[in-house]
Amino acid sequence: MALLEVCGYRDEDRSAGPLGARGRFVDRSSHFSFGVKTAEFAVPVGVDPQAFLSPYTAGEGNVRIHLNHGTTTLAFKFQHGVVVAVDSRASAGNYIDSKDANKVIEINPYLLGTMSGSAADCQYWERLLAKECRLFKLRNKERISVCAASKLLSNMMCEYRGMGLSMGSMICGWDKQGPGLYYVDDDGTRLSGQLFSTGCGSSYAYGVVDSGYRYELSVEEAYDLGRRAIAHATHRDAYSGGVVNLYHMRQDGWIKICKDDVAELIHQYALENK
Amino acid sequence: MALQDICRQPHTPAFPYSHKWNDPISLALAGGDTNTVLGWGGSAPLPFYTPFSANPSLRAQTPNRAPQSPIPGRAGVTVPFELAHGTTTLSFKFQGGVIAAADTRSSCAGYVECPTAQKVIPIHSHLVGTTSGTSADCMLWKRILSRECRLYQLRSSAPLPVRGAARLLAAALARFKGTELCVAATLCGWDRAGPALHYVYSDGTRLEGQLFSVGSGSPYAYSVLDREYRFDMSVPEAYALARNAVYHATHRDAYSGGCVDLYHVTESGWRKIGRDDLLPVYYQKKGGGVVLGSEGGRCCVVLKGEGWCVGSPLEQGGEPVLTTSHPGGGGWVLTWGCVGSEVGEGVVRGFPPHGGGGGVRGF
């Protein structure tokens, strides 16, 4: 994907196509331009998505499309880096689509992105972000910073604002400024912070993490805190479950710590409490 | 209210039907087409309107946002503003009885209407109820429940068990199903069967359990409670857990805040443990231990670690630890408790803690 772009390969000649010069308004595979030439949106011709969707997402009528982020993900910075913990349940309305979904995208060995919201949107846009990060590295011979990567994602979300995207993501990494953690939302919010949790199980996770979080946590304590928070959130939230996928972002890159079943964790915590 | 009924007071303009008995069975039955008073069996009205529930087709047509008019024939009026339900209340049973705790912020359409509301309301000597939902509805229905419990006790010379009180409340609220009434209450009490905890919601839910948290801040409180709750906790641990859970909920939820009210129900009745300001807890958790001193150097209170500790009290007239004073000269009214020792109450005029600097000694 990235290499094709760099080599300037184009799969069809626009001016010679059946629509001629008007072909530039037609949907194409590559539509996000990193500040070069013309900025285009890939939307169906003749449709204004924002006007079409706004009565259903923000209006007061009886028909509403509820874009809920049915998951629990969390990430926090501490003295030894960034801990990222996510659950693994993918739900489609009331149906559990998968109990082993992967909600962390490994962009490069120094950058991770979490996903909550619409799985399709998250996977597509974060993969697009991964492509842009790779292009940046090829063009500039150095890795992209976490700040810039989150800004790219946030710009993508801003361009498609109001058009029905649903994505709540945390971009975590380690760059020249040290550990980085940014929260990026589908309405263009981009926040830097020490601790974030997203998804509908986030309120449960916040309770546990707030009560145990300190910057001076040791590595094992931080892992335990992340696991506990996700486990307690999956215990109460119907849309979270499966396993806890735990990552630790360190100075020399990220490592995957564990993949623990939440049922076993809850049972283990209950036994500890007795 | 109840006594007037018993003493068969003659007609007075304020209570025109007070000489009639109020049969609890009739409370749950559909009243009728009276359009002036609440027809709880038509016998003992309470002075407010009821939706006209005798016509089921009318009820089915009306959506939630346009409650029915009590006067038949007139169209329903839409509510001019969203009724806000923001709170954090929690209650749990443990070996030492039942604990009920709640925050004290009463919010209305995005502003804090009252920072010192009371959300845990005593119903009778062995029963308290936490309230969540619209505060006016909760206050009224709790008072009605108190009245009915008292009447039951007077008639049958035995107190109404908590389960019965929950059923009574649920049945009374069932008449208003489909309207804007919103009452989510947990009844925490001690009856002949021991400690009892029931949750009643105005949509008809009625549950019995060990642990409940209700309100917009409840998810935050649930996870803290789930983490630490054990049935065989000691009493100070239970107090600390309840306060901690409410604190974390108020920290994250915009509609919860203020202070935390704590009630403990045992075999000898309910007891208010205290009302503790949560703002110092934030500073304490942010910056480690903090010393608060009084103006006259009377007492020194140290907030330390996860709980609340009473430090060594300074002698009368001793030198206060705090060397800088708050610009406004004011302080907070604070009640304090201690994990592992006796709960103390009182007023300490303290200074807001400064985060680590400014002459305040921290731990």
Side-chain angles (χ1 to χ4, degrees):
Chain A
M1 222 165 141
L3 204 51
L4 281 177
E5 271 221 22
V6 167
C7 301
Y9 173 78
R10 293 167 61 132
D11 44 358
E12 49 194 291
D13 191 357
R14 286 290 145 187
S15 57
L19 295 168
R22 273 167 46 225
R24 61 195 170 91
F25 293 119
V26 175
D27 191 2
R28 305 203 305 203
S29 57
S30 161
H31 49 75
F32 183 77
S33 50
F34 184 28
V36 190
K37 301 188 197 83
T38 51
E40 297 147 352
F41 298 148
V43 293
V45 177
V47 173
D48 182 1
Q50 270 162 334
F52 173 75
L53 266 176
S54 64
Y56 303 110
T57 49
E60 282 131 27
N62 280 331
V63 178
R64 281 209 59 176
I65 301 174
H66 293 276
L67 298 167
N68 296 322
H69 300 190
T71 188
T72 313
T73 67
L74 70 91
F76 57 86
K77 277 200 270 199
F78 71 120
Q79 61 175 340
H80 295 297
V82 188
V83 164
V84 179
V86 302
D87 75 310
S88 69
R89 176 174 290 183
S91 49
N94 295 335
Y95 170 67
I96 297 175
D97 215 6
S98 165
K99 63 179 179 1
D100 207 4
N102 188 14
K103 299 190 187 181
V104 174
I105 178 168
E106 299 150 3
I107 297 171
N108 66 43
Y110 290 81
L111 209 55
L112 286 174
T114 66
M115 312 186 200
S116 74
S118 157
D121 286 337
C122 287
Q123 284 173 347
Y124 179 78
W125 291 102
E126 297 200 22
R127 205 157 171 245
L128 198 60
L129 176 68
K131 170 198 157 195
E132 292 299 331
C133 293
R134 181 83 182 118
L135 279 176
F136 183 95
K137 181 146 193 269
L138 288 168
R139 287 181 188 128
N140 304 86
K141 294 189 195 158
E142 65 171 16
R143 262 193 298 269
I144 191 170
S145 65
V146 187
C147 184
S150 61
K151 190 69 178 170
L152 274 177
L153 187 61
S154 161
N155 287 344
M156 293 177 204
M157 292 298 114
C158 283
E159 283 195 37
Y160 288 89
R161 193 181 165 155
M163 299 191 195
L165 291 183
S166 164
M167 187 200 81
S169 156
M170 292 178 298
I171 306 297
C172 328
W174 196 300
D175 55 23
K176 284 193 291 215
Q177 279 102 20
L181 176 58
Y182 286 82
Y183 167 71
V184 180
D185 206 344
D186 51 71
D187 44 37
T189 311
R190 173 175 164 265
L191 301 167
S192 165
Q194 297 275 80
L195 163 70
F196 288 111
S197 177
T198 68
C200 57
S202 65
S203 28
Y204 304 100
Y206 269 128
V208 175
V209 180
D210 280 342
S211 56
Y213 174 74
R214 283 171 299 119
Y215 189 78
E216 304 81 22
L217 285 170
S218 74
V219 169
E220 279 305 321
E221 284 174 340
Y223 294 167
D224 182 61
L225 186 64
R227 261 194 291 259
R228 256 180 215 273
I230 298 288
H232 284 291
T234 60
H235 181 58
R236 286 283 176 186
D237 180 32
Y239 296 103
S240 306
V243 300
V244 180
N245 283 312
L246 192 65
Y247 289 76
H248 180 191
M249 177 66 67
R250 304 189 303 198
Q251 186 158 16
D252 51 356
W254 56 260
I255 50 170
K256 181 155 186 185
I257 307 302
C258 70
K259 191 172 158 141
D260 291 331
D261 192 317
V262 292
E264 283 166 24
L265 283 176
I266 289 285
H267 192 66
Q268 177 194 324
Y269 299 147
L271 287 175
E272 278 170 14
N273 255 356
K274 282 215 164 52
Chain B
M1 230 160 127
L3 201 52
Q4 267 186 319
D5 286 345
I6 303 295
C7 301
R8 297 175 183 265
Q9 285 266 344
H11 265 262
T12 62
F15 298 97
Y17 296 99
S18 57
H19 60 282
K20 295 198 183 203
W21 282 108
N22 200 18
D23 183 358
I25 306 286
S26 65
L27 299 183
L29 296 176
D33 28 352
T34 167
N35 63 354
T36 48
V37 291
L38 170 62
W40 278 9
S43 54
L46 290 165
F48 63 89
Y49 284 99
T50 181
F52 184 34
S53 56
N55 188 346
S57 61
L58 194 63
R59 186 198 275 175
Q61 279 164 30
T62 312
N64 253 351
R65 288 196 56 83
Q68 299 156 304
S69 166
I71 297 152
R74 236 187 253 183
V77 177
T78 42
V79 177
F81 49 83
E82 281 284 343
L83 300 173
H85 323 138
T87 191
T88 307
T89 67
L90 60 92
S91 48
F92 55 86
K93 279 198 278 199
F94 74 117
Q95 53 83 16
V98 190
I99 298 281
D103 73 310
T104 60
R105 176 175 291 183
S106 179
S107 55
C108 174
Y111 75 99
V112 177
E113 191 260 329
C114 175
T116 51
Q118 191 182 1
K119 299 188 191 181
V120 184
I121 299 170
I123 295 171
H124 60 68
S125 63
H126 284 71
L127 183 61
V128 300
T130 66
T131 64
S132 169
T134 43
S135 26
D137 289 329
C138 287
M139 286 278 171
L140 174 66
W141 285 100
K142 283 283 154 64
R143 248 196 116 208
I144 292 172
L145 184 64
S146 305
R147 172 184 183 250
E148 293 307 320
C149 288
R150 182 78 183 122
L151 281 174
Y152 181 95
Q153 183 173 9
L154 289 167
R155 268 188 225 119
S156 42
S157 30
L160 185 60
V162 181
R163 215 177 72 225
R167 269 196 95 168
L168 189 62
L169 185 61
L173 293 175
R175 296 199 57 215
F176 297 88
K177 189 167 170 153
T179 64
E180 294 278 340
L181 181 77
C182 181
V183 171
T186 61
L187 300 177
C188 325
W190 192 293
D191 54 27
R192 264 203 292 237
L197 179 58
H198 286 77
Y199 166 69
V200 178
Y201 186 40
S202 49
D203 73 350
T205 312
R206 187 168 50 87
L207 300 167
E208 203 271 327
Q210 296 270 76
L211 173 91
F212 286 110
S213 176
V214 186
S216 55
S218 67
Y220 308 102
Y222 262 129
S223 51
V224 176
L225 283 170
D226 281 342
R227 196 179 164 170
E228 305 287 341
Y229 171 77
R230 288 170 295 118
F231 188 80
D232 49 5
M233 283 188 292
S234 67
V235 171
E237 280 178 335
Y239 293 169
L241 175 62
R243 283 193 186 111
N244 206 25
V246 175
Y247 164 71
H248 280 106
T250 59
H251 178 52
R252 285 286 173 185
D253 180 35
Y255 300 107
S256 307
C259 309
V260 51
D261 276 338
L262 189 60
Y263 283 70
H264 185 186
V265 187
T266 52
E267 200 170 352
S268 46
W270 63 260
R271 195 163 72 95
K272 180 168 180 174
I273 308 305
R275 171 173 276 208
D276 304 302
D277 194 357
L278 290 170
L279 186 56
V281 183
Y282 171 73
Y283 288 107
Q284 176 255 319
K285 284 187 189 271
K286 199 166 78 139
V290 136
V291 172
L292 299 176
S294 76
E295 276 173 11
R298 260 188 306 130
C299 202
C300 163
V301 176
V302 177
L303 300 179
K304 222 164 131 170
E306 278 297 313
W308 309 63
C309 277
V310 175
S312 55
L314 298 175
E315 268 137 14
Q316 197 77 12
E319 199 178 0
V321 176
L322 209 59
T323 56
T324 60
S325 63
H326 187 265
W332 289 314
V333 172
L334 185 76
T335 58
W336 69 94
C338 178
V339 174
S341 91
E342 214 166 316
V343 174
E345 282 175 68
V347 171
V348 170
R349 255 200 181 290
F351 296 91
H354 301 272
V360 175
R361 256 212 324 257
F363 285 78

